[in-house]
Amino acid sequence: MTMTTTTTMTPYEYAAAHQERFVQELIDLLRIPSISTDPAFAPQVRQAADWLAADMRRIGLENVAVLPTGGHPVVYGDWLHAGDDAPTVLIYGHYDVQPAVLADGWLHDPFTPVIREQRLYARGACDDKGQVLAQLKAAEALLATGGSPVNLKYLIEGEEESSSENLPGFVLAQRERLRADVVLISDTRIESLEQPSLNYSLRGLVTLEITVTGPTRDLHSGFGGILHNPAQAVAEIVAKLHHPDGRVAVPGFYDAVRSLGAEERAALQAADLPPREWQHMMGDLPEWGEAGYLKIERIGTRPTLEINGLYGGYSGDGFKTVIPARAGAKISCRLVADQDPETIFAGVSAYLRQITPPTVRLDIRPLGHGRPVHTPTDHPAVQAAKRAYGRNWDKAPLFIPGGGSIPVVAEFQEKLNLPVVLMGFSLPDGGAHGPNESFHLEMYRKGVATVIAFMEELRAGMPA
Ligand code: BES
Ligand code: MN
Ligand code: MN
C-alpha cells in the first residue's frame, strides 16, 4: 500500500481522507481471534501482535518490537522527535479479546466483521482493537503531515482480558524505555454519540474461587438427611455475603472507602445512568443495590462483591438423584479508592471461613488482584483531554468514575508515577464481552480526531 505524505494537509484532513482505509485495516485486525485466556489461540494472539507491529512500522513509528513478557507479548513502538521541551505520552491498549462463539447469540461469526448501520460488528470491535487503532491512526495522521507535537510511546499488550498477570513485571523491568509524562488509554466508555465523557477513575479488582467439599465422592441422594449437601452449603454461604439492603456483609469491607465531597456528588447527579440505558439492559425490572446512592455512584465510587459463577451437582439433561461431593463459586470484588486488594482478600476470606458451617470443608483460592486508580480532574493532562473533546463535540465532556478495571493501570500510576488519562470511545450499547460487540464508525472517526487534538492541547498545556 502506498502512503501519501502531503505536508500541506492538516492531520485532520489526512485522517478524513483515509478514513475508509482505516476501517478496512480495523476489519483486518478483527479477523484475528486473539483470545488470550485460551491457550489454543496462542498463535492467533501472536498473529495480532505481529499485525500491529507491521502497522506501526508502516506508519513511521520507530524501535518497533514484539517483546516477550513471560506470557503473550507486548507490542512497542515510539516516535521521539518532538523535542526535549515536548511531553512524552505513553499510549496503552490491548490487542487481546474475550472469547466469543456464534452460539453465544451472535448474528454472524464473531471474527467475520460486518458493517450495519454505521457500526462495525465483531469480537474486539470496541474492546479494544477499534480504540487501539484510533490511537495508532492518530499517530499515522500526525506523522504523515509533518510530525507529532508530543513524543509518543505505544505499549499494546496481549493479556488484559486474562488479568495482565505478566505485565506488572514487564513494566517494572522496562521502566527506562517506558519513561513518560502521562499515560493515555482508550479502553473505556463514552456517554453517547452526542455527549462526550471521560473516566477519571477505574475500580480495582479482587477475584477468588471457593470450593466446598463434603462426602468423599458423589453419593446416591437416598443418603439425603444425614449429611450437609455441599451445593446447599455453597448457597447458604453465598446468601450471607450481602445484607438484605444490598450492602456487602463482610466486616470492615467499607472501612477504607473514601467518601465523596458534596461537589463531586452534585456533578454525578447530572451524569447518572440514563433511564434508556437501564431499559436497554434490564427491561422493566426494578433496580437493586446499596441504598442511598445514585446508580453512577454505585457503579463508579462504591465497592461491590459479585458472584460470577456458581456450580455443583448435576445440571445436564434429564435428572440425576445425587448429592455432589463438591460445589463452588467464583467471586469478584470491585474496589474503589482507597481500598487495598490484599486487605479485602484477607477480610473476605476470614468472613467466608467464619460463615462456613462445620459440616463441610472450605477451600479458598485467590485468582488475581488489581488496585483502583484515580486521576484528579484538574490535572493539566485531563484538562487537555477536556479541550480535545470540546474541539470535536458540541457539548463539553462529562467526568464519570469508571466501573470496570484495567489491571496494569495502577502500576503506571504507582510504579512509574504517571497520571492516567482515560479517553474512551466505546458506546454504552457497544456490547463489550457480550454477543454482537460493535464499534460505531462515527466514534472511530471522532476518536482519531480527538486523539490528534489531545496531542496538540497537551503540547500547549503541559510542560515536559
Ligand atoms: N476495557 C475494559 C475495562 C473497562 C470497561 C473499564 C468499561 C471501564 C469501563 C477491560 O478490557 C476489561 O474488560 N477489564 C476486565 C479486567 C479483568 C479481566 C481482569 C474487567 O474490568 O473485568
Ligand atoms: Mn478493554
Ligand atoms: Mn474487556
Side-chain angles (χ1 to χ4, degrees):
M1 193 174 298
T2 52
M3 234 171 66
T4 34
T5 305
T6 322
T7 39
T8 51
M9 264 191 180
T10 69
Y12 303 99
E13 288 164 348
Y14 178 95
H18 292 264
Q19 172 67 11
E20 258 173 57
R21 174 171 54 82
F22 293 173
V23 173
Q24 280 311 315
E25 288 167 350
L26 177 52
I27 288 174
D28 286 348
L29 180 58
L30 289 169
R31 283 188 206 283
I32 307 171
S34 46
I35 301 166
S36 60
T37 198
D38 185 344
F41 287 89
Q44 287 87 346
V45 174
R46 173 72 202 204
Q47 196 190 340
D50 290 338
W51 189 100
L52 278 175
D55 199 56
M56 285 185 183
R57 289 194 185 97
R58 192 185 57 78
I59 69 176
L61 292 180
E62 298 167 0
N63 300 307
V64 175
V66 177
L67 300 168
T69 63
H72 296 302
V74 150
V75 189
Y76 176 86
D78 62 30
W79 189 89
L80 306 173
H81 306 292
D84 292 342
D85 56 339
T88 300
V89 183
L90 175 64
I91 295 119
Y92 163 87
H94 63 93
Y95 65 82
D96 64 322
V97 300
Q98 290 277 329
V101 290
L102 194 61
D104 295 339
W106 287 78
L107 298 173
H108 56 84
D109 175 70
F111 298 100
T112 306
V114 168
I115 296 178
R116 213 173 348 107
E117 287 168 12
Q118 283 256 80
R119 284 171 193 261
L120 178 49
Y121 289 86
R123 169 57 85 231
C126 64
D127 188 9
D128 181 30
K129 287 172 172 172
Q131 301 198 65
V132 162
L133 274 210
Q135 288 287 346
L136 275 183
K137 298 298 125 184
E140 172 174 339
L142 286 165
L143 301 190
T145 56
S148 167
V150 296
N151 298 306
L152 303 170
K153 295 183 176 182
Y154 287 82
L155 169 67
I156 315 298
E157 71 144 317
E159 290 188 319
E160 197 275 343
E161 299 293 10
S162 49
S163 290
S164 299
E165 240 175 279
N166 297 288
L167 205 58
F170 176 90
V171 167
L172 212 52
Q174 300 283 331
R175 263 217 274 335
E176 278 312 300
R177 196 200 293 253
L178 302 178
R179 209 212 303 259
D181 298 292
V182 53
V183 177
L184 174 63
I185 303 176
S186 293
D187 189 23
T188 49
R189 288 174 31 169
I190 187 163
E191 190 73 1
S192 71
L193 278 172
E194 300 78 31
Q195 175 62 67
S197 63
L198 62 160
N199 285 156
Y200 57 89
S201 59
L202 289 172
R203 291 199 285 187
L205 197 62
V206 164
T207 55
L208 55 110
E209 179 167 11
I210 62 169
T211 311
V212 168
T213 50
T216 52
R217 69 192 77 170
D218 286 1
L219 292 179
H220 191 293
S221 68
F223 283 108
I226 61 167
L227 59 100
H228 205 158
N229 181 323
Q232 181 185 336
V234 166
E236 288 164 1
I237 292 166
V238 157
K240 289 197 172 97
L241 294 175
H242 294 87
H243 294 300
D245 65 2
R247 275 179 313 123
V248 176
V250 174
F253 191 76
Y254 296 94
D255 283 0
V257 175
R258 209 190 284 170
S259 54
L260 304 191
E263 210 178 307
E264 193 178 348
R265 286 201 83 175
L268 291 179
Q269 198 104 40
D272 200 13
L273 193 83
R276 70 176 142 72
E277 210 186 311
W278 175 267
Q279 170 79 27
H280 182 75
M281 290 190 300
M282 300 298 296
D284 59 3
L285 286 172
E287 62 183 273
W288 177 94
E290 215 184 343
Y293 295 93
L294 299 168
K295 289 193 192 68
I296 193 175
E297 287 180 287
R298 282 180 267 151
I299 289 171
T301 75
R302 301 294 297 168
T304 64
L305 185 152
E306 301 290 337
I307 314 303
N308 302 119
L310 202 53
Y311 54 87
Y314 184 74
S315 59
D317 287 341
F319 208 86
K320 186 179 180 188
T321 45
V322 71
I323 297 171
R326 61 167 59 223
K330 304 238 189 203
I331 299 172
S332 64
C333 301
R334 297 274 173 186
L335 310 185
V336 298
D338 296 309
Q339 286 178 300
D340 170 49
E342 309 283 334
T343 309
I344 294 298
F345 177 74
V348 172
S349 300
Y351 181 62
L352 283 166
R353 286 197 192 92
Q354 182 199 320
I355 62 178
T356 298
T359 42
V360 292
R361 287 174 216 93
L362 173 73
D363 181 59
I364 302 172
R365 201 155 69 91
L367 293 172
H369 290 171
R371 310 175 80 84
V373 292
H374 185 275
T375 308
T377 52
D378 60 2
H379 191 283
V382 178
Q383 288 299 314
K386 180 180 175 181
R387 293 193 300 278
Y389 281 94
R391 284 168 54 178
N392 289 282
W393 266 269
D394 295 332
K395 294 183 181 174
L398 298 170
F399 287 108
I400 293 179
S405 310
I406 305 176
V408 76
V409 177
E411 304 293 316
F412 294 141
Q413 202 168 60
E414 292 164 16
K415 303 279 178 4
L416 306 183
N417 216 352
L418 295 178
V420 177
V421 178
L422 298 158
M423 286 177 55
F425 302 108
S426 164
L427 287 171
D429 58 358
H433 294 205
N436 305 305
E437 177 179 351
S438 69
F439 193 36
H440 201 293
L441 293 178
E442 180 67 1
M443 289 298 97
Y444 190 21
R445 192 184 69 72
K446 280 197 173 179
V448 173
T450 307
V451 171
I452 296 170
F454 173 73
M455 302 306 179
E456 294 175 350
E457 292 293 340
L458 192 70
R459 173 66 185 251
M462 193 173 134

